[in-house]
């Protein structure tokens, strides 16, 4: 495939440009669901006049449908995108990037989507779509799947769909709530995933950040203990990765702890643990839910995170060695590779 693309680039460079442009249009419409022409032109940084000509062509090919609410992808368009994705990834250089990251960090599967979710809401949506696809790839019948909260995980939930393999699965929150927006909490994300896939869910109605005394009291409650037992027996974990200081602020961590995190070089946060640049755990939150030793026994751990600003943080979590699968974006992936050389052997 690479050899054919190289020949096309030399003989028909314009053909590659046109293919990439039309693929981007179809992909944007697929992820958006239904979108108007003006909104799409703005997202693609394309004039409405140029977009109109491309949309007319794609409609003639039966790849798009339009009505009063806007444009949406047709079933033929959806199938074409699935067939084109491996080809486009090679053309964009993303396949090579996926292979380099997998080798550098010892992962079994890596997905890199184009763009930078720091400055593109579309890229974050695409990250969610790819995260949902990665979960479908690894799920088995009657699975138990633990999920964390966050805006990226909310996008993963949004892109889930009915699946015969997931109908008997249980979706559970990996941890308690952060007190943030309800639609970004792990409980909400677990229930959304279950409803969209035809699965089942259990909720964990406890705060994420607890003092030791409150933690011990809650863990004696039989209903909470029952849910926690289910969470800790999960086969798959799907989680986001955050910047350490951003997550400390979201958790309303006290100033003394924040200063301690800074002094210890905390760079990243994932499932309630803070990691330094070498992937060492420098701090953990007393939380009801998954613990690090539970995650070490989990069969499949899927990290979903993107944005150039998080590249080094993602690399630090990967160095700890729990992840099996990573779904990220191009900007984060390129930033990660700058820090891959310092991964311990």
């Amino acid at each position: 495939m690479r050899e054919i693309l190289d020949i096309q680039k030399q003989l028909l460079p314009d053909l590659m440009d046109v293919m990439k442009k039309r693929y981007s249009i179809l992909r944007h419409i697929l992820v958006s669901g239904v979108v108007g022409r003006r909104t799409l032109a703005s997202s693609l940084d394309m004039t409405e006049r140029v977009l109109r000509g491309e949309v007319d062509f794609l409609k003639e090919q039966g790849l798009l449908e339009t009505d009063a609410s806007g444009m949406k992808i047709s079933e033929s368009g959806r199938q074409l995108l699935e067939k084109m994705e491996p080809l486009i990834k090679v053309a964009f250089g993303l396949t090579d990037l996926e292979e380099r990251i997998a080798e550098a960090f010892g992962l079994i599967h890596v997905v890199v989507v184009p763009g930078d979710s720091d400055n593109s809401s579309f890229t974050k949506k695409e990250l969610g779509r790819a995260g949902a696809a990665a979960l479908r790839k690894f799920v088995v019948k009657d699975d138990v799947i633990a999920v964390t909260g966050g805006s990226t995980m909310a996008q993963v939930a949004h892109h889930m769909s009915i699946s015969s393999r997931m109908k008997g699965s249980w979706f559970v929150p990996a941890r308690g709530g952060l007190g943030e927006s309800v639609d970004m909490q792990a409980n909400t994300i677990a229930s959304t995933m279950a409803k969209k896939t035809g699965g089942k869910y259990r909720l964990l109605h406890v705060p994420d950040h607890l003092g030791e005394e409150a933690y011990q009291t809650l863990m004696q409650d039989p209903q909470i203990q029952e849910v926690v037992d289910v969470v800790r027996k999960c086969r798959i974990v799907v989680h986001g990765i955050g910047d350490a200081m951003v997550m400390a602020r979201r958790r309303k961590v006290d100033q003394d702890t924040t200063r301690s995190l800074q002094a210890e070089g905390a760079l990243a946060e994932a499932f309630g643990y803070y990691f330094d640049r070498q992937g060492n755990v420098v701090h953990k939150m007393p939380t009801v839910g998954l613990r690090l030793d539970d995650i070490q026994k989990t069969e499949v751990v899927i990290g979903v995170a993107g944005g150039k600003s998080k590249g080094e943080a993602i690399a630090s979590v990967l160095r700890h060695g729990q992840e099996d699968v990573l779904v990220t974006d191009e900007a984060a992936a390129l930033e990660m590779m700058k820090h891959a050389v310092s991964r311990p052997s």
Side-chain angles (χ1 to χ4, degrees), residues 10-300:
Q10 292 179 48
L11 295 178
L12 298 163
D14 292 346
L15 177 63
M16 293 298 298
D17 292 339
V18 171
M19 183 174 68
K20 287 180 181 179
K21 179 168 62 176
R22 290 175 178 166
Y23 174 82
S24 294
I25 292 170
L26 288 171
R27 193 166 58 92
H28 270 70
I29 296 171
L30 172 67
V31 174
S32 301
V34 178
V35 64
R37 186 176 293 162
R38 182 172 299 177
T39 302
L40 182 60
S42 176
S43 297
L44 292 166
D45 195 22
M46 189 182 296
T47 67
E48 286 192 60
R49 182 183 64 80
V50 171
L51 179 62
R52 187 181 301 114
E54 296 296 343
V55 166
D56 288 345
F57 172 81
L58 295 170
K59 279 175 60 181
E60 288 173 6
Q61 301 302 310
L63 304 174
L64 288 183
E65 298 171 356
T66 58
D67 56 28
S69 61
M71 298 174 285
K72 62 182 178 181
I73 201 88
S74 68
E75 185 55 35
S76 296
R78 190 184 301 273
Q79 291 175 9
L80 179 65
L81 280 176
E82 288 179 4
K83 293 175 183 176
M84 284 183 69
E85 190 163 359
L87 176 70
I88 291 294
K89 283 202 165 192
V90 173
F92 283 173
L94 299 182
T95 301
D96 285 337
L97 195 51
E98 289 170 346
E99 291 170 356
R100 287 163 55 205
I101 289 173
E103 182 177 358
F105 294 99
L107 303 170
I108 63 173
H109 185 62
V110 176
V111 179
V112 177
V113 303
D116 182 351
S117 54
D118 278 348
N119 52 38
S120 168
S121 59
F122 170 78
T123 300
K124 179 164 277 193
K125 291 177 183 176
E126 179 70 358
L127 203 57
R129 186 186 71 84
L135 176 55
R136 284 193 295 272
K137 179 181 176 70
F138 288 94
V139 76
V140 298
K141 194 175 185 302
D142 300 328
D143 246 335
V144 177
I145 303 152
V147 299
T148 64
S151 59
T152 302
M153 287 302 301
Q155 285 294 336
V156 175
H158 176 74
H159 285 93
M160 300 297 285
S161 58
I162 289 289
S163 166
S164 58
R165 294 170 68 188
M166 290 190 185
K167 277 189 176 178
S169 294
W170 284 94
F171 292 86
V172 295
R175 298 178 358 222
L178 272 178
E180 58 194 343
S181 173
V182 172
D183 60 354
M184 291 197 297
Q185 290 187 13
N187 273 337
T188 305
I189 289 166
S191 64
T192 300
M193 286 183 169
K195 290 169 185 174
K196 281 183 167 281
T197 59
K200 298 169 283 188
Y201 64 93
R202 299 290 298 272
L203 302 181
L204 195 55
H205 294 294
V206 295
D208 183 66
H209 184 35
L210 297 167
E212 185 60 33
E213 186 177 343
Y215 171 79
Q216 294 298 339
T217 301
L218 280 171
M219 290 304 291
Q220 291 172 17
D221 183 288
Q223 290 185 327
I224 290 174
Q225 185 62 60
E226 181 189 356
V227 177
V228 170
D229 285 345
V230 174
V231 171
R232 290 179 176 172
K233 290 174 182 173
C234 67
R235 196 186 73 87
I236 297 179
V237 176
V238 190
H239 71 91
I241 297 171
D243 175 273
M245 292 302 109
V246 171
M247 294 305 298
R249 287 194 295 273
R250 281 175 60 188
R251 285 202 170 88
K252 299 179 174 57
V253 171
D254 62 80
Q255 290 186 352
D256 287 344
T257 305
T258 299
R259 281 193 289 268
S260 175
L261 287 170
Q262 290 172 327
E264 291 171 330
L267 182 68
E269 186 275 345
F271 31 79
Y273 292 80
Y274 289 81
F275 303 83
D276 65 14
R277 279 178 170 79
Q278 286 71 47
N280 302 311
V281 175
V282 296
H283 184 75
K284 63 178 180 179
M285 306 295 293
T287 179
V288 175
L290 281 181
R291 303 159 301 191
L292 200 56
D293 56 343
D294 300 314
I295 294 163
Q296 288 168 348
K297 292 181 282 189
T298 302
E299 284 189 37
V300 182

